[in-house]
Amino acid sequence: MLSPLMAITVQDIGITVSLVFILLGLAWLAWRSFSGKEVDRRIIFLFIFFSVAMPVIFKISFKFKATPIVNALYEKIESLPNNSTVLISYDFDPAMAPEVQPMADALSRHCLSRDIKIVYMCLFPTGQGQLEQTFSTVVRNEFPEKQDGIDFVNLGYKAGGEGVLNVIVTDFEKMFPTDVNSVPYSEIPIFDNIKSCKNLDLIISIGGGRPGIKEWVLFVGDPGNIPMAAGVAAVVAPQLYPYYPNQILGLLGGVKGAAEYENRLRDSDPKFADMPTPATTMMGPQTLAHIVVMSFIIIGNILFFRNRKRGEIS
Amino acid sequence: MKKTSMVVFATIASLFLLSWIVKGMFSEGSSPYLDGFLVTLAAFLTLAIMSFLYKDNPYYKFAEHLFVGVSAAYAMCLGFWSTIVGNLIPRLSSTVSDFFQVNYIEGDYNIFFVIPIIFGILLLMRLSPKAGWLSRWPLAFIVGTTAGLNFVRYLRSDFINQINSTIIPLLIDWNGFGDFFSNMNFSATGQLVMMFSNLVIFVGVVCGIIYFYFSKEHTGWFGRASKVGIWILMITFGASFGYTVMGRISLLVGRITFLFKDWLEIIS
Amino acid sequence: MKRLVPLIITFVVGTVLILSVFIPPMEGLGENFTLFFDIIAVFAFFLGGGNLVRVHFQKMSRKSDDWEFSIVTLVGFFVMLAAGLFKIGNPGDIASSVTADGSLFQAIYRSVFVPLSSTMYALLAFFVASASYRAFRAKNREATLLLVAAFIILLGSTPFGTMLTSWVPESWSIFQIPNLAVWLMSSPNLAGQRAIIIGIGLGVVSISLRLILGLERTYLGDDNA
């Protein structure tokens, strides 16, 4: 008799409690609105805060199937032979980090596990700070056997955005005479056969602002005919679709794109079964917040049409 | 300072002091009290910014002003170490290069690297009320570089390549009408949907451009095409709005996760 | 002098950079000009910092509104600057990365810069949600299209979208909300964004040409030379 109840998980309880809270809140909001009473904006803010906080506390998460545009990047990395070289550029600041840091970490994990060499660089000054996070959580923590300069290299930040790209498309050493720790270019084994971006097998820009993937496409991808891909904050993702698939071969858009990539990676190989999946974890609160926003739109519009019918709004 | 403000300040100070002590006591690591302080400081600043949602207040102003100062210095330091020490000094002086432990780069034209220094100093003249006009020279260099770089790249990637990508087949896997009607379905990866997608892309781009073309009055067939352009653009803006909502919520989830995970340690 | 020299500089630099694309021997010159540009960009950071210090000292000396908070800005600025320039607490020597783990610079970045920057943007979630309730109305056909598209995208990115239309058969799968969201992004959205990109692209090309030829001079200011 009790077996069905025993199967109930903390996540199920969490979803139920969160949904009940959200439904009660929305019902109250609808009741206040339809009875013509003002709702203080701070109450709405508080409601949004708890709608996001509850699924965070209950660790609600959902699995997502990779969409073609995400899968294309995964397949590209899978198709690269061992010892290929991929450049990952950290073109973001902490404000975009919750969305794009999980992508950067998952991509690093995927490349390193396949013995693909990674050249890290940044077009945002803050990218260098964020890069340290990937180094401490993924590179040094999960791949202690990988050696700096041989399996990966950190070139760090250079000022100038498009100016940096215009140089490295033809000459890497001119822009980066040393890596971030002042090791000369000629003494870094990873660059033995790399003179410019044209010698790279894939370039991935992780970002969401300017300079970002658009500049990479304009200044490096198109002139050098180099395969490009991107992981970007949701705000700019729609603007990049015109470049797919001719100018960028794959795109991870927002935390959903990151979650899709994490799931694709985890499902592909048992060795990734226990990998951290921060983006997937974020999709629970994200989902419930979407429901709240959509409900707000519905309530607001019902109110609008009712008032228009009554002639209160012309 | 009013009495209420004093009480609020004292309460907040005690709470965060308590947080520091508790986190210091239970933190694992070589310097638990320092780690505890840093996490508590980050939590205080997070909540200080969030307090703006209630109303503008001194805690928010404190955090906002701190942000401005720290971010300006951050960019300056990164710019100095990465580009000045990384690219300029190794081309100018072997002695200074040795001091910074970077390799001197031999070159016949290194002397020309005084040009960006001169322009850089002229740019700083903007701070002077009398010699401010001199900053126009480096500004002209920046404008010239940007214009020269953008001219060809935008023409190639955002004009020619975009038009190239729009000239796409409107009939896909076409084996005649008989085959088309007998296999017709509305599968997301089916022939009909693929053909319709390409048609929408082609017509949408043409009509969208027509909407942006203001040299001809939007009447007749031109006006109708422009109307279709507006609809396509509205769908585009709707998609952007949806993604914007998604993005902003992600950032909030990130901050709330920090508060509950790293600071309060309610979740693991 | 005040106008002619900048116009000549813009013309020469712009022309060299365009020609360097078409004439390979000029590639090196083009690279050097962009390298100069990158170095000048750092001086622009210095200018920003210098201006910040000037403005806040002025605020303090004039005792303007909220001048006390200018002290916070300046203390934050100078502490971060000292931590970065002198690499305080950096585990390596002068050659090591300024952002190395364990340095004061990286500690301030993680504990001050990151929370401030990300929370500042996270606030927008509240305002976007609140605006959805108060302002997002289907007032006419165009607004309805926008609203429906946004709705499909929001619903399509949640498992509820999948649940709602899971009964739709495979032969009609385009009407399943997640598929519809993908189609919306890769078809009408792509078309609209491409029209915008082509428009902006043409605008950038024409303004670049006007700048190089000296026809566009607004960046020089409006005083007489």
Side-chain angles (χ1 to χ4, degrees):
Chain A
M1 276 293 282
L2 279 172
S3 57
L5 282 177
M6 299 285 274
I8 295 172
T9 61
V10 176
Q11 171 143 330
D12 295 332
I13 297 167
I15 293 175
T16 313
V17 172
S18 305
L19 279 175
V20 167
F21 170 79
I22 288 170
L23 288 174
L24 285 176
L26 288 170
W28 181 82
L29 192 74
W31 171 73
R32 289 280 298 185
S33 304
F34 294 135
S35 30
K37 290 171 186 163
E38 269 294 304
V39 181
D40 193 290
R41 69 188 167 88
R42 280 168 287 206
I43 293 176
I44 294 178
F45 293 158
L46 208 62
F47 178 53
I48 295 161
F49 182 87
F50 282 111
S51 304
V52 174
M54 288 176 81
V56 168
I57 294 170
F58 287 113
K59 294 175 90 175
I60 297 169
S61 66
F62 301 104
K63 283 194 85 174
F64 285 90
K65 205 173 144 228
T67 47
I69 201 164
V70 171
N71 208 33
L73 176 54
Y74 173 85
E75 294 298 342
K76 175 67 187 176
I77 293 178
E78 281 293 304
S79 71
L80 291 175
N82 287 1
N83 292 321
S84 303
T85 312
V86 171
L87 184 146
I88 303 182
S89 184
Y90 278 50
D91 310 330
F92 61 96
D93 60 17
M96 305 171 216
E99 289 182 88
V100 297
Q101 186 80 44
M103 298 174 189
D105 291 351
L107 286 163
S108 294
R109 189 174 287 123
H110 191 189
C111 290
L112 291 174
S113 71
R114 293 211 60 249
D115 291 330
I116 292 169
K117 295 169 182 177
I118 307 179
V119 177
Y120 291 103
M121 62 168 278
C122 330
L123 294 179
F124 268 51
T126 42
Q128 199 168 311
Q130 296 301 129
L131 193 45
E132 282 300 325
Q133 197 172 322
T134 301
F135 272 83
S136 59
T137 56
V138 180
V139 181
R140 289 191 206 110
N141 187 32
E142 295 178 26
F143 301 92
E145 74 285 2
K146 299 284 180 191
Q147 289 179 287
D148 193 351
I150 298 171
D151 301 299
F152 63 88
V153 65
N154 178 6
L155 295 178
Y157 164 73
K158 290 286 176 193
E162 298 93 319
V164 176
L165 300 179
N166 191 49
V167 178
I168 62 171
V169 71
T170 46
D171 192 345
F172 241 123
E173 193 175 3
K174 196 165 200 169
M175 195 70 239
F176 292 101
T178 66
D179 75 353
V180 77
N181 292 314
S182 307
V183 179
Y185 188 90
S186 55
E187 292 172 22
I188 302 170
I190 210 171
F191 290 124
D192 283 349
N193 298 313
I194 293 173
K195 191 192 171 296
S196 71
C197 281
K198 289 172 188 163
N199 304 116
L200 296 166
D201 298 286
L202 176 67
I203 295 174
I204 307 169
S205 166
I206 310 286
R210 187 188 156 91
I213 180 65
K214 186 182 169 84
E215 284 67 34
W216 272 103
V217 171
L218 265 64
F219 289 84
V220 178
D222 282 355
N225 201 18
I226 305 155
M228 301 278 320
V232 293
V235 176
V236 295
Q239 297 161 24
L240 295 169
Y241 271 73
Y243 299 107
Y244 172 76
N246 291 346
Q247 291 156 289
I248 48 175
L249 56 89
L251 176 72
L252 316 185
V255 74
K256 183 169 180 279
E260 287 175 22
Y261 199 87
E262 283 177 353
N263 284 296
R264 183 73 183 86
L265 202 57
R266 202 164 51 174
D267 295 342
S268 68
D269 199 322
K271 71 181 168 202
F272 294 121
D274 296 325
M275 74 174 214
T277 50
T280 310
T281 314
M282 283 172 77
M283 279 312 287
Q286 185 85 34
T287 297
L288 295 181
H290 283 194
I291 291 172
V292 171
V293 171
M294 286 188 291
S295 307
F296 278 177
I297 296 173
I298 293 171
I299 294 171
N301 275 283
I302 293 174
L303 202 65
F304 169 73
F305 283 113
R306 193 193 68 164
N307 291 348
R308 191 158 75 170
K309 207 172 174 184
R310 284 180 181 177
E312 289 170 25
I313 300 168
S314 59
Chain B
M1 219 183 212
K2 278 190 224 162
K3 198 181 167 189
T4 335
S5 308
M6 291 275 280
V7 172
V8 171
F9 175 76
T11 314
I12 290 172
S14 337
L15 280 174
F16 281 97
L17 200 64
L18 185 70
S19 153
W20 178 14
I21 295 165
V22 171
K23 285 206 78 72
M25 281 163 67
F26 294 102
S27 278
E28 289 166 8
S30 53
S31 44
Y33 280 94
L34 179 64
D35 293 344
F37 172 73
L38 293 175
V39 174
T40 304
L41 177 66
F44 167 72
L45 294 172
T46 302
L47 292 172
I49 296 280
M50 281 189 176
S51 69
F52 181 74
L53 293 169
Y54 181 70
K55 65 175 187 183
D56 199 4
N57 63 76
Y59 300 95
Y60 172 76
K61 279 185 185 148
F62 171 85
E64 188 191 31
H65 280 75
L66 186 64
F67 177 50
V68 173
V70 168
S71 56
Y74 183 87
M76 278 175 73
C77 293
L78 257 293
F80 173 76
W81 286 109
S82 68
T83 308
I84 300 294
V85 174
N87 292 83
L88 182 64
I89 287 172
R91 289 181 171 93
L92 284 182
S93 160
S94 58
T95 321
V96 185
S97 297
D98 288 344
F99 173 76
F100 285 110
Q101 295 183 23
V102 285
N103 277 16
Y104 178 69
I105 302 167
E106 300 277 353
D108 297 335
Y109 304 107
N110 277 354
I111 187 68
F112 289 109
F113 276 82
V114 294
I115 296 173
I117 298 182
I118 295 168
F119 276 160
I121 292 165
L122 290 180
L123 192 65
L124 296 178
M125 290 294 172
R126 203 166 179 82
L127 295 171
S128 146
K130 284 184 182 166
W133 64 273
L134 280 168
S135 67
R136 287 175 180 179
W137 294 14
L139 196 64
F141 189 91
I142 291 170
V143 169
T145 314
T146 314
L149 287 175
N150 285 345
F151 180 79
V152 181
R153 276 78 183 182
Y154 273 82
L155 196 62
R156 173 170 45 206
S157 301
D158 277 10
F159 186 67
I160 298 167
N161 284 356
Q162 291 304 322
I163 289 175
N164 196 27
S165 304
T166 309
I167 315 295
I168 41 177
L170 297 180
L171 297 182
I172 297 168
D173 301 331
W174 188 255
N175 294 314
F177 281 103
D179 179 73
F180 174 72
F181 283 112
S182 58
N183 293 319
M184 197 169 83
N185 63 47
F186 291 94
S187 162
T189 50
Q191 185 190 17
L192 179 71
V193 171
M194 302 290 246
M195 278 166 46
F196 183 64
S197 297
N198 283 8
L199 184 71
V200 169
I201 291 172
F202 181 74
V203 174
V205 172
V206 172
C207 294
I209 291 171
I210 286 175
Y211 173 69
F212 288 125
Y213 188 78
F214 300 115
S215 302
K216 182 175 159 58
E217 204 180 336
H218 289 193
T219 51
W221 70 267
F222 200 78
R224 280 192 288 276
S226 158
K227 194 82 183 161
V228 175
I230 296 177
W231 294 342
I232 289 286
L233 288 170
M234 282 301 149
I235 296 174
T236 305
F237 296 144
S240 291
F241 176 80
Y243 264 71
T244 304
V245 171
M246 212 191 281
R248 298 308 177 213
I249 287 168
S250 305
L251 304 183
L252 179 62
V253 175
R255 286 333 287 162
I256 290 179
T257 306
F258 163 77
L259 288 176
F260 288 131
K261 191 178 165 191
D262 297 277
W263 183 45
L264 295 175
E265 295 184 41
I266 291 173
I267 51 173
S268 58
Chain C
M1 191 73 167
K2 283 185 180 175
R3 281 180 169 264
L4 187 65
V5 176
L7 287 173
I8 293 170
I9 293 172
T10 305
F11 177 77
V12 172
V13 176
T15 311
V16 165
L17 282 166
I18 290 175
L19 290 178
S20 69
V21 177
F22 299 100
I23 305 167
M26 287 183 76
E27 208 173 62
L29 191 60
E31 282 173 5
N32 280 338
F33 273 19
T34 37
L35 209 47
F36 293 175
F37 168 82
D38 298 338
I39 293 163
I40 296 170
V42 179
F43 281 91
F45 291 163
F46 296 163
L47 175 67
N51 200 34
L52 184 85
V53 172
R54 190 179 68 164
V55 167
H56 283 277
F57 268 122
Q58 274 174 0
K59 266 184 94 172
M60 283 163 62
S61 61
R62 288 175 192 162
K63 297 264 191 291
S64 314
D65 288 346
D66 291 335
W67 66 272
E68 301 91 338
F69 292 105
S70 292
I71 302 170
V72 178
T73 302
L74 292 174
V75 168
F77 177 81
F78 285 115
V79 169
M80 191 66 166
L81 197 65
L85 291 184
F86 302 115
K87 294 192 175 175
I88 299 170
N90 201 305
D93 55 10
I94 195 167
S96 64
S97 168
V98 63
T99 53
D101 250 345
S103 63
L104 178 63
F105 190 72
Q106 185 68 359
I108 298 177
Y109 174 75
R110 283 208 179 144
S111 313
V112 177
F113 193 112
V114 170
L116 287 173
S117 170
S118 47
T119 315
M120 204 71 92
Y121 280 87
L123 283 191
L124 294 177
F126 294 100
F127 298 126
V128 165
S130 175
S132 303
Y133 169 65
R134 293 173 189 279
F136 204 29
R137 303 280 185 264
K139 284 179 182 164
N140 52 36
R141 196 184 299 167
E142 285 78 17
T144 310
L145 264 176
L146 194 148
L147 195 143
V148 170
F151 228 81
I152 292 170
I153 295 293
L154 284 172
L155 204 55
S157 57
T158 66
F160 291 95
T162 317
M163 267 159 51
L164 278 175
T165 48
S166 55
W167 52 272
V168 175
E170 190 50 42
S171 57
W172 291 76
S173 62
I174 188 64
F175 296 108
Q176 290 172 355
I177 288 174
N179 288 336
L180 202 57
V182 170
W183 179 80
L184 209 69
M185 290 305 290
S186 54
S187 200
N189 167 68
L190 184 151
Q193 293 290 358
R194 185 168 285 162
I196 296 169
I197 281 180
I198 291 173
I200 294 174
L202 279 176
V204 170
V205 169
S206 64
I207 198 79
S208 299
L209 205 59
R210 284 177 61 81
L211 284 164
I212 292 167
L213 296 176
L215 300 171
E216 177 65 51
R217 300 176 180 196
T218 42
Y219 70 96
L220 294 173
D222 55 1
D223 62 342
N224 298 316

